[in-house]
Amino acid sequence: MTFECACPLAGAKCFVTSATKLLLLLALVAAIPIGVNGAYVNIVTVRPEMRLHWNITGAGANRSIAFALEYSTTTGWLGFGVGEPASGSMAGADIMVASIGTDGRLTVGDYFATAESRPTADGTPSDWVGVGYSRTANTTIVEATRLLAVTDTAHDRAIVDDGKPTKLIFAFGASASLQYHGANRAQYSINLFDPMTDRLAAVATRNDTESLQWLRDNFTIPAAVTTYVEDLCFTGPSTAGGTPYMIAARPRIQPGNEMFVHHMVLKGFLGSANCTGNSVDLLATASHASPFIFPDGVGIDLGMFTSFTVQTHYDNAMLMAGVVDSSGVEVFYTRTPREHKAGILQLGDPAVRTPGTLPSGLSAFTYECPANCTNKWTSNITVFATLQHMHKTGVMMRTQYARGENVLRTVKTEYYDFDLQDEQLLQPFVVQRGDRMATTCTYQTSGGVKWGIGSDDEMCIDFLYYYPIQTVLEGFYCGYNLCGSMTSLASPAQLEREFGTPVATQAPTATSAALAPTWYTNHVTVRPEMRLHWNITGAGANRSI
């Protein structure tokens, strides 16, 4: 994705435009015939060397995606997958790996990942079906299909039509077999079912919408793999013309620097004009992340905050020197009063007051916001998004919402990745006065990690986006030493995850007529040590063996 800035940089740190008339260009182009599947209606450029073409077809249980991966490589393997739903990370992803053998055959493998390492082959029947491929002097195109729904939720990710972006991952490598991809990888979020609907344009082009950009100022990216920068402090929009309500935000990446800007976090500070003291994470976004758009009639009062900063994580995997960057974030706001004034409630350990250091190995800290705290609200609240936040040793996080002893729902990040923080837009749900919320953060350390605000320290905060804002303290903070408490510290033997459980293998059984599966009607002995049992079922395009 490339953007053109509205104003020349000229050394300035902040740009404000009124009623910004911007249309997001999602790199979607007209349908073109590309191969076996014919014309694809939807096309997006993930990076200059990676393009995805796709159609959604069928209905009901047979609804599927037909897609083509177009990568700038002429050797090796191509990877594509559905990332962990909350973080979008490789860990927790359902992955397809395609390769073309020396015999010219296309092989498509079904994998899943539980870490940032070589994925594991899925032992269940593959959801990914190879269709064909083509190669030119510069590119490889692989076409495949898969059903949107899945039956093996422990190793496969459904592609869900819920109005929210699907978080996708891409990679390729030059080796014949699956090996580390290096810098040839990307994450991308897009609504696969409605990519042409530009919801941000509808917000940005309204007459009452203003925008503000907070950008780096010609920052030279160090020739280091990982760099975190948080050196600029910004003031917010004036409140003289009315209360400014944030209604949307998006990343603004300097063209050509998409591969270097890993993610950014927008922070608002309470009571400090120089970006010190207590802060609230207002937005977390990656270079190719979708815009974060509030529900209609909902906004956050930016006048609550006295200063702002943007923390940027640069990923310079190729150690390139002399790269200059002026990326940042753009915030869209309106002074038109909102029907719902949103608040951000921090659960867990909002003030980072847990004492001591984290134990070595796995540890799980649970913090509760009890019923007597939510009873201090003046009304019930509606939660519409969440940002679950830990630091580098965090591996899993969840918040359970309970009424009495009944757990009503759990919102979780099964595979947490500090470098891939992102808001989760939720189907809005009501939390009543008197409900309780329990936030559990799980860490994996080798010892010596303390609690604190630094990236090498640890935190446990779940930021809930909700409305209407509750102006009592418990509408901003509810957790350890802030009305709530830490209710447990456990050392689990293993992580209790639903996705990524070990693939079951079936022990071979002796060849015997008595053991022949009774649910198959056809049997044949191929050799004394080999037997085949089968049925033919279905009809038409759904006929199968």
Side-chain angles (χ1 to χ4, degrees):
M1 231 192 287
T2 61
F3 303 94
E4 298 216 1
C5 295
C7 308
L9 292 178
K13 297 180 181 178
C14 175
F15 305 91
V16 182
T17 58
S18 178
T20 306
K21 308 291 186 181
L22 295 174
L23 292 178
L24 279 180
L25 298 178
L26 201 57
L28 295 165
V29 299
I32 58 170
I34 193 171
V36 177
N37 280 331
Y40 290 93
V41 175
N42 309 296
I43 305 169
V44 65
T45 299
V46 178
R47 283 174 46 170
E49 66 274 26
M50 298 178 183
R51 301 184 83 196
L52 173 68
H53 313 248
W54 80 98
N55 296 327
I56 302 293
T57 62
N62 294 318
R63 202 176 191 198
S64 63
I65 180 172
F67 62 92
L69 304 174
E70 182 184 357
Y71 290 179
S72 298
T73 181
T74 57
T75 60
W77 56 269
L78 285 69
F80 172 66
V82 182
E84 204 276 344
S87 66
S89 67
M90 175 185 173
D94 178 9
I95 299 171
M96 182 202 84
V97 177
S99 60
I100 300 166
T102 55
D103 59 357
R105 290 190 175 188
L106 171 66
T107 299
V108 170
D110 191 354
Y111 295 80
F112 66 94
T114 58
E116 305 291 335
S117 59
R118 182 185 176 90
T120 302
D122 191 341
T124 58
S126 177
D127 292 318
W128 309 91
V129 179
V131 175
Y133 77 91
S134 63
R135 268 188 168 151
T136 68
N138 301 310
T139 63
T140 298
I141 296 173
V142 167
E143 296 186 86
T145 65
R146 63 154 280 182
L147 293 174
L148 302 185
V150 299
T151 56
D152 178 19
T153 56
H155 307 109
D156 300 323
R157 294 288 188 193
I159 299 175
V160 183
D161 185 3
D162 58 2
K164 297 184 293 186
T166 300
K167 297 179 179 179
L168 304 173
I169 61 173
F170 304 79
F172 65 86
S175 57
S177 59
L178 179 59
Q179 295 183 25
Y180 179 53
H181 47 64
N184 301 320
R185 50 97 173 115
Q187 291 89 18
Y188 200 92
S189 296
I190 189 169
N191 185 342
L192 294 169
F193 302 89
D194 193 16
M196 293 299 290
T197 298
D198 191 346
R199 292 183 59 228
L200 181 59
V203 172
T205 56
R206 292 201 307 243
N207 289 333
D208 64 343
T209 298
E210 301 173 69
S211 73
L212 181 151
Q213 299 177 35
W214 287 312
L215 308 174
R216 303 233 78 76
D217 184 15
N218 292 319
F219 175 76
T220 300
I221 302 173
V225 173
T226 300
T227 301
Y228 287 91
V229 182
E230 190 178 324
D231 59 342
L232 300 179
C233 189
F234 307 99
T235 57
S238 169
T239 58
T243 300
Y245 293 97
M246 182 169 76
I247 53 176
R250 67 170 173 181
R252 295 284 287 182
I253 308 302
Q254 180 172 323
N257 283 3
E258 293 84 358
M259 67 181 293
F260 300 105
V261 180
H262 194 284
H263 79 275
M264 297 173 290
V265 178
L266 171 63
K267 301 181 179 183
F269 289 82
L270 299 165
S272 167
N274 59 356
C275 296
T276 59
N278 293 329
S279 66
V280 175
D281 288 5
L282 298 176
L283 174 76
T285 185
S287 62
H288 289 295
S290 299
F292 180 57
I293 302 171
F294 287 74
D296 291 342
V298 180
I300 287 182
D301 178 2
L302 293 178
M304 295 170 50
F305 305 98
T306 50
S307 56
F308 302 83
T309 191
V310 178
Q311 181 193 75
T312 304
H313 169 202
Y314 290 105
D315 180 14
N316 190 355
M318 300 180 69
L319 305 180
M320 295 179 63
V323 179
V324 176
D325 184 61
S326 295
S327 299
V329 299
E330 181 172 19
V331 172
F332 296 86
Y333 62 96
T334 180
R335 300 180 191 277
T336 301
R338 301 288 86 190
E339 178 183 359
H340 301 296
K341 184 176 178 181
I344 299 178
L345 170 60
Q346 299 183 40
L347 303 177
D349 182 12
V352 196
R353 293 178 176 175
T354 305
T357 58
L358 283 72
S360 298
L362 279 176
S363 59
F365 292 76
T366 299
Y367 305 89
E368 183 163 303
C369 175
N372 66 292
C373 299
T374 62
N375 266 325
K376 296 181 181 180
W377 300 341
T378 58
S379 68
N380 300 336
I381 66 171
T382 298
V383 177
F384 63 90
T386 180
L387 171 61
Q388 297 188 329
H389 179 70
M390 299 180 288
H391 284 177
K392 297 178 181 178
T393 66
V395 292
M396 187 169 69
M397 186 170 178
R398 74 179 185 192
T399 293
Q400 292 183 313
Y401 298 82
R403 189 164 299 151
E405 296 303 315
N406 297 321
V407 176
L408 303 179
R409 62 179 44 83
T410 300
V411 178
K412 61 185 175 181
T413 305
E414 275 200 331
Y415 291 85
Y416 181 82
D417 189 327
F418 174 62
D419 293 329
L420 292 174
Q421 300 175 65
D422 198 5
E423 289 81 10
Q424 295 183 65
L425 279 173
L426 307 172
Q427 293 298 326
F429 61 89
V430 174
V431 180
Q432 295 184 5
R433 296 177 66 246
D435 287 355
R436 58 187 180 85
M437 295 167 283
T439 300
T440 301
C441 291
T442 304
Y443 307 90
Q444 176 80 62
T445 82
S446 55
V449 178
K450 63 182 178 67
W451 299 95
I453 62 174
S455 294
D456 293 325
D457 302 329
E458 267 307 340
M459 307 177 77
C460 176
I461 305 176
D462 191 351
F463 296 87
L464 301 188
Y465 294 75
Y466 74 94
Y467 61 81
I469 188 170
Q470 303 295 306
T471 56
V472 296
L473 178 65
E474 292 75 16
F476 295 93
Y477 311 100
C478 189
Y480 187 68
N481 276 359
L482 288 167
C483 194
S485 62
M486 183 171 69
T487 57
S488 72
L489 166 57
S491 299
Q494 60 185 15
L495 293 167
E496 295 181 1
R497 289 168 167 159
E498 296 178 15
F499 187 90
T501 54
V503 176
T505 56
Q506 183 175 350
T509 58
T511 302
S512 167
L515 295 177
T518 58
W519 54 89
Y520 293 104
T521 57
N522 308 295
H523 317 275
V524 65
T525 299
V526 181
R527 287 175 47 175
E529 69 273 28
M530 298 178 183
R531 301 189 78 203
L532 173 67
H533 314 261
W534 79 97
N535 295 329
I536 301 294
T537 62
N542 295 320
R543 202 174 190 201
S544 62
I545 182 170

